[in-house]
Amino acid sequence: MKICQQMDCDKTIELHILPEKEGWILFQKYAGLSDNSSKSILDRGRKISKECKGLPIAIAFIARSLKGPRPLEEWDVALTSLQKSMHVNDNEDESRKKVYTCLKYSYDNMKDETAKKLFLLCSLFREDEEISEELLVRLAKGATLIDKIDDDDSYDECRKKVIVAKNKLIDSCLLLNCKYERVKMHDLVREMALWIANEENVAVNTSKKNEMTKVEKGKDIKYLLCEGKIKNLFSSKFDGSKLVILIVYMKTHHHVEVPNSFFENKPGLQVLILSNSFVPRPSLSLPQSIQRLTNIKSLYLKRFKLGNISIIGNLQALETLELV
């Protein structure tokens, strides 16, 4: 099995499973260990490294999470966690399950709740999609992911907390740093994050009937990303009572008319992104029912020709409006 992972390099490199000795060298690098480290730590480190089965991505995740002064008990917990098999999917091969186990350990032992929420939020975006720091701040603010922010200068406070959380995720290898203050998720990390979020985070291709069925049967969806045939989404009937964030990616040059019924059962929606990637831009018509989104804080309409959108002025809770 080959694992692709961007570590401290400028580009993604492909690595085979490492021999035990090379795996241990890599583990020491990411955990900050040396021959001068205590024997107790080194002994536990070797056992943990061995449990990673030579997978570079697993070694990087688990070693980074143990870097710095840590009590022996924490190393013991890490070893025990890796020795337990994770029940993800019976069809997954053992190497993949081991990576999932390492990711889950790294996530579970993160003490920053904001970082955890941000991690799950990032899983909503498409594979290999680079997410701007500014967008993360706006989503975190719009979806109220960060508690205890003073009313005065709240946006700046939110930005600071998001940046701190983002950096912690990068240090833990749960996010990859990109150029221009952007981040992205490794595909395995994204799969794991969606698994952790269970039925609350859902990313679907609306062109696939089986994926739309998952949406229509969902009762607890909080974050939803849709791409594909947009008509399938607009015509579907799903429980949006708990929906907080909705991201819709389109690729069309035809006029887009959101049906009036679409916003009728989404009272808690706080962030809405409608984004089109087709050139030339199609026109977009918003229904009267958008006024029912009384909790909407952030609205993004990207790459559309917009006519009269004065109806947006009736959204009293709206804090951020972006028309690109």
Side-chain angles (χ1 to χ4, degrees):
M1 176 183 175
K2 296 180 180 180
I3 300 290
C4 292
Q5 169 65 9
Q6 182 176 327
M7 292 182 178
D8 288 336
C9 306
D10 292 330
K11 61 181 180 180
T12 302
I13 54 177
E14 189 173 75
L15 297 175
H16 295 275
I17 290 178
L18 299 175
E20 186 174 329
K21 183 178 180 180
E22 292 182 22
W24 171 234
I25 292 172
L26 188 65
F27 185 93
Q28 290 181 90
K29 173 187 173 183
Y30 281 100
L33 301 180
S34 68
D35 293 339
N36 296 324
S37 301
S38 73
K39 184 178 183 302
S40 298
I41 292 293
L42 290 174
D43 287 345
R44 286 165 173 78
R46 285 183 182 278
K47 291 178 181 178
I48 292 171
S49 177
K50 190 174 181 179
E51 283 297 324
C52 291
K53 308 299 182 185
L55 294 165
I57 186 173
I59 292 170
F61 280 121
I62 205 72
R64 280 273 183 90
S65 70
L66 292 168
K67 189 174 183 179
R70 307 277 180 174
L72 284 177
E73 291 79 7
E74 194 163 334
W75 289 77
D76 289 334
V77 169
L79 179 59
T80 302
S81 298
L82 291 177
Q83 289 171 336
K84 294 179 180 178
S85 60
M86 259 188 70
H87 302 290
V88 181
N89 187 329
D90 291 336
N91 296 324
E92 297 284 7
D93 61 52
E94 289 305 314
S95 297
R96 206 175 186 89
K97 286 182 180 179
K98 184 58 66 175
V99 173
Y100 284 165
T101 302
C102 293
L103 292 175
K104 187 67 165 58
Y105 172 82
S106 185
Y107 173 82
D108 287 343
N109 286 273
M110 188 171 293
K111 297 177 176 61
D112 189 326
E113 288 301 318
T114 298
K116 283 187 170 184
K117 292 176 182 178
L118 195 67
F119 172 68
L120 297 181
L121 174 63
C122 288
S123 71
L124 194 63
F125 291 86
R126 295 171 293 185
E127 286 187 9
D128 295 322
E129 181 171 358
E130 295 185 1
I131 315 162
S132 71
E133 181 180 284
E134 183 63 28
L135 180 56
L136 287 179
V137 173
R138 293 185 182 185
L139 290 179
K141 182 72 166 61
T144 322
L145 295 185
I146 301 176
D147 301 323
K148 299 179 181 179
I149 295 180
D150 296 332
D151 291 335
D152 296 334
D153 207 21
S154 61
Y155 194 85
D156 285 342
E157 284 297 312
C158 181
R159 175 185 293 281
K160 291 174 184 176
K161 291 188 177 184
V162 167
I163 291 174
V164 169
K166 180 200 73 171
N167 290 337
K168 287 182 179 179
L169 291 170
I170 291 172
D171 289 342
S172 300
C173 287
L174 293 175
L175 282 182
L176 300 176
N177 207 6
C178 304
K179 295 180 180 178
Y180 312 116
E181 297 183 332
R182 293 173 177 266
V183 294
K184 69 176 182 178
M185 272 190 164
H186 186 282
D187 57 350
L188 286 178
V189 179
R190 181 174 180 268
E191 287 177 17
M192 185 67 225
L194 289 172
W195 181 84
I196 291 172
N198 197 5
E199 296 180 352
E200 291 189 352
N201 283 25
V202 178
V204 298
N205 186 327
T206 56
S207 301
K208 299 179 180 179
K209 186 176 180 180
N210 62 320
E211 294 194 15
M212 281 307 300
T213 300
K214 181 168 59 175
V215 174
E216 291 170 349
K217 290 183 177 180
K219 301 293 183 183
D220 300 305
I221 300 176
K222 289 178 63 178
Y223 303 160
L224 176 62
L225 177 143
C226 296
E227 59 180 328
K229 292 183 178 179
I230 199 61
K231 288 184 178 180
N232 291 349
L233 173 64
F234 289 158
S235 63
S236 67
K237 295 181 180 180
F238 67 95
D239 185 353
S241 59
K242 296 183 180 180
L243 197 62
V244 176
I245 296 177
L246 174 60
I247 301 176
V248 182
Y249 288 114
M250 313 176 201
K251 189 174 182 180
T252 180
H253 61 277
H254 297 294
H255 171 68
V256 177
E257 184 170 357
V258 182
N260 200 54
S261 60
F262 188 66
F263 294 122
E264 289 181 347
N265 67 336
K266 301 172 180 62
L269 190 65
Q270 296 180 14
V271 177
L272 173 63
I273 298 177
L274 300 179
S275 179
N276 181 56
S277 60
F278 202 90
V279 178
R281 302 183 180 203
S283 55
L284 172 69
S285 296
L286 297 174
Q288 290 292 317
S289 63
I290 196 172
Q291 298 176 90
R292 298 190 179 188
L293 302 180
T294 55
N295 291 302
I296 194 82
K297 293 182 179 180
S298 298
L299 175 61
Y300 305 86
L301 305 176
K302 299 184 178 182
R303 299 187 185 92
F304 291 104
K305 290 180 182 178
L306 300 172
N308 184 352
I309 56 172
S310 58
I311 191 173
I312 293 177
N314 297 327
L315 302 176
Q316 299 299 313
L318 192 65
E319 297 176 354
T320 303
L321 173 64
E322 184 169 328
L323 309 174
V324 183

